[in-house]
Amino acid sequence: MSVNKEIKRVSTAMLQAMKDRKEKISMLTSYDYSMAKMVDSAGVDVILIGDSAANVFAGYETTLPITLDNMIYHAAAVARGTERAMVLADLPFGSYQGSANEAYNAAVRMMKESGAHALKLEGGLEIIENIRKIISGGIPVCGHLGLTPQSINKFGNFGVRAKEEQEAAKLIEDALALQEAGCFAIVLEKIPAALAKTVTEKLAIPTIGIGAGADCDGQVLVINDMLGMNADFKPKFMRHFANLHEQITTAVSNYVAEVKAVQYPNTEEQY
């Protein structure tokens, strides 16, 4: 879409400046044009096209089935709906964990075909060379540590990560390595708030928390969850900012009833 030149696009430099002046960063997911347009106009700083689309959009149990082509499709739709927010896209499982060249090729495809401004990858030292390769090509990368959903089969559950000293130390080591490799930010998912605070204080780059407490430099939630569209999903960190499940089902029920009662359309709603 054409960009209003009076609106300044959120950049990696702007996110860094927000951390430096202690202004919190807001991030939400979106997966389609219409939602992205609303989220962008509401003032969110970063719109994440999460591989959570596999769950909330496609109905899979995990994020693993979604493909690079799927993610490019969703990211392109979101990019067309935004003017101000940074568009941050996940690289999906299997597209970047192999060789550095494979990771770079997947990253280039995402950037060229979707119009995203930056990419998010899960993992630390295990994929650090792949991240370096992507960043060396001029592509901004946001890291993701803690509960990394693409590794759910290794973890065995969606519980809190890094509660034990050894895993917490590894997370700090990974975070510092991601920063050194050139990542512009790191998402910290479902880790103890005290650990997230420590990591945030150790890093010069911003941290974005989800289930990681209030001391991160910003917060991210899945849009469907925070809008209350998934009524039965409410982990401890989740706040429903609306109850769209009830509103939508009520609206649809009213529509069905009025169609069947021949109350819709009325004479003023036809040509």
Side-chain angles (χ1 to χ4, degrees), residues 84-143:
R84 176 185 175 273
M86 171 188 286
V87 176
L88 174 66
D90 273 345
L91 282 186
F93 174 74
S95 66
Y96 64 90
Q97 291 95 338
S99 71
N101 284 337
E102 288 173 342
Y104 178 73
N105 290 337
V108 168
R109 271 203 67 200
M110 176 63 81
M111 297 294 286
K112 287 174 71 71
E113 297 178 34
S114 75
H117 309 122
L119 306 178
K120 181 168 74 63
L121 283 68
E122 296 181 9
L125 285 165
E126 299 82 0
I127 60 163
I128 203 72
E129 293 308 317
N130 300 5
I131 288 175
R132 288 184 195 278
K133 176 72 173 179
I134 293 170
I135 294 173
S136 72
I139 299 172
V141 172
C142 174

Side-chain angles (χ1 to χ4, degrees), residues 22-91:
K22 302 189 184 305
E23 176 186 348
K24 297 293 187 180
I25 298 164
S26 61
M27 182 188 297
L28 283 172
T29 68
S30 291
Y31 314 104
D32 64 84
Y33 171 86
S34 298
M35 183 66 79
K37 195 172 178 67
M38 289 187 283
V39 171
D40 185 60
S41 66
V44 164
D45 299 311
V46 183
I47 297 180
L48 170 66
I49 303 89
D51 58 4
S52 49
N55 311 121
V56 300
F57 194 90
Y60 291 111
E61 287 189 10
T62 72
T63 63
L64 302 187
I66 202 163
T67 67
L68 182 59
D69 284 340
N70 294 153
M71 290 300 300
I72 289 171
Y73 172 85
H74 286 290
V78 168
R80 289 191 290 269
T82 67
E83 289 189 320
R84 176 185 175 273
M86 171 188 286
V87 176
L88 174 66
D90 273 345
L91 282 186

Side-chain angles (χ1 to χ4, degrees), residues 160-172 191-192 195:
V160 177
R161 304 306 311 171
K163 292 188 291 185
E164 305 299 327
E165 184 177 343
Q166 184 175 358
E167 189 178 351
K170 170 70 163 56
L171 188 143
I172 293 171
I191 65 173
L195 175 59

Side-chain angles (χ1 to χ4, degrees), residues 169-192:
K170 170 70 163 56
L171 188 143
I172 293 171
E173 182 183 16
D174 282 339
L176 291 170
L178 290 173
Q179 176 175 262
E180 189 276 332
C183 287
F184 71 88
I186 300 176
V187 168
L188 300 175
E189 181 168 357
K190 215 166 183 183
I191 65 173

